[in-house]
Amino acid sequence: MPATLDGKKIVGAHSANKVMYYYKLIKHEKTGTPCHILGTQGASSGTNTKALGTTATKQFNVKDTGSINQQRVVNVVMTTGDGFKTDVARDLYYTWEHGEEMLLYRVDWNTLRTVSGKQVVDAEMAVVLISALPETEALNTPVSQNVTFEVQGATRRYDEDGYPFTLTKEDFDDGIFTDTIKYFNFGKPGDFGVDENGEVIDNTSDDSHAGDHTATIGLDGSKPASNS
């Protein structure tokens, strides 16, 4: 049982596994285009620092903080890049090569909630540059890139009243908002196979709501749908 005080939980953890990164190319994608998952995210971290000034006196130091410097570091595990939504490896390399800015979103799925009948999740937005793009190609492991995103100015996570900014389902590629961890959709045997050229075909679609609604109650307590 979690530690409690007067019946209220005082100890609980935010899962690091639920903090994910997404991106969009500013100069190449049209307005209205949602953001894309940044490969398959591996370990990640970030820094939030300010320039520190120190004035020494005879008894102690007087300190003050100045300009903001932020970085977001994401160990991106490269997917095969089937061309369906985007090609992460291509986008990162092109952005680095041409010195272009891109949008980076840090999304905390621990905060997923329903507001006025609509699901929202807290998110941080940053305009970033890529100065270094190392590529890891160790044997028996997938290709990964440990990317340090240099934040232009400062990120936006809270408004001036301290309230978090949020994203909704429409802000992400199809299927990402409802489940960020699945690698594939459920499909019947006839949905998979090869074409006349031997290319593998996958005719499945988003399975987030494709289960049998007559089989059991819903997670929200709704009764099973009629099977008549």
Side-chain angles (χ1 to χ4, degrees):
M1 294 290 292
T4 60
L5 180 65
D6 295 333
K8 295 182 179 180
K9 185 169 67 173
I10 59 173
V11 176
H14 249 41
S15 173
N17 291 3
K18 293 185 178 181
V19 177
M20 305 281 288
Y21 284 86
Y22 303 81
Y23 78 100
K24 180 178 178 179
L25 300 181
I26 300 176
K27 294 187 176 181
H28 303 281
E29 298 188 274
K30 296 180 180 179
T31 57
T33 304
C35 62
H36 324 292
I37 191 168
L38 193 58
T40 300
Q41 185 194 350
S44 65
S45 62
T47 60
N48 303 297
T49 61
K50 282 189 172 183
L52 179 65
T54 302
T55 301
T57 71
K58 291 183 178 180
Q59 293 182 322
F60 46 74
N61 291 332
V62 178
K63 297 183 178 182
D64 197 8
T65 56
S67 59
I68 292 174
N69 182 50
Q70 292 176 296
Q71 295 176 324
R72 296 292 176 261
V73 183
V74 184
N75 182 25
V76 182
V77 179
M78 292 299 158
T79 55
T80 54
D82 60 4
F84 173 57
K85 290 296 181 183
T86 186
D87 185 332
V88 177
R90 186 275 315 274
D91 290 348
L92 292 179
Y93 192 91
Y94 190 94
T95 299
W96 167 80
E97 181 182 20
H98 293 273
E100 294 183 353
E101 295 177 339
M102 62 186 291
L103 295 179
L104 184 70
Y105 292 90
R106 178 187 181 274
V107 179
D108 185 355
W109 291 100
N110 293 286
T111 65
L112 183 63
R113 60 196 180 278
T114 300
V115 178
S116 301
K118 195 170 189 177
Q119 285 190 308
V120 301
V121 64
D122 291 358
E124 170 193 89
M125 187 202 83
V127 177
V128 298
L129 289 165
I130 301 173
S131 63
L133 192 64
E135 296 180 285
T136 303
E137 301 161 354
L139 294 177
N140 305 318
T141 64
V143 175
S144 63
Q145 290 179 295
N146 196 44
V147 187
T148 299
F149 295 96
E150 301 288 346
V151 177
Q152 289 278 40
T155 64
R156 298 298 295 150
R157 188 182 295 187
Y158 303 101
D159 69 10
E160 297 308 310
D161 298 313
Y163 297 116
F165 295 112
T166 62
L167 296 176
T168 63
K169 178 180 179 180
E170 293 74 21
D171 297 312
F172 298 86
D173 283 336
D174 294 341
I176 288 180
F177 188 84
T178 50
D179 194 341
T180 64
I181 63 173
K182 63 186 180 184
Y183 284 152
F184 50 84
N185 291 309
F186 179 87
K188 298 181 182 297
D191 293 330
F192 302 93
V194 294
D195 60 16
E196 60 275 10
N197 297 318
E199 296 292 332
V200 175
I201 301 298
D202 178 353
N203 287 324
T204 59
S205 57
D206 181 22
D207 65 0
S208 301
H209 307 288
D212 181 1
H213 289 212
T214 69
T216 185
I217 62 172
L219 287 172
D220 60 358
S222 57
K223 295 180 178 180
S226 172
N227 58 8
S228 60

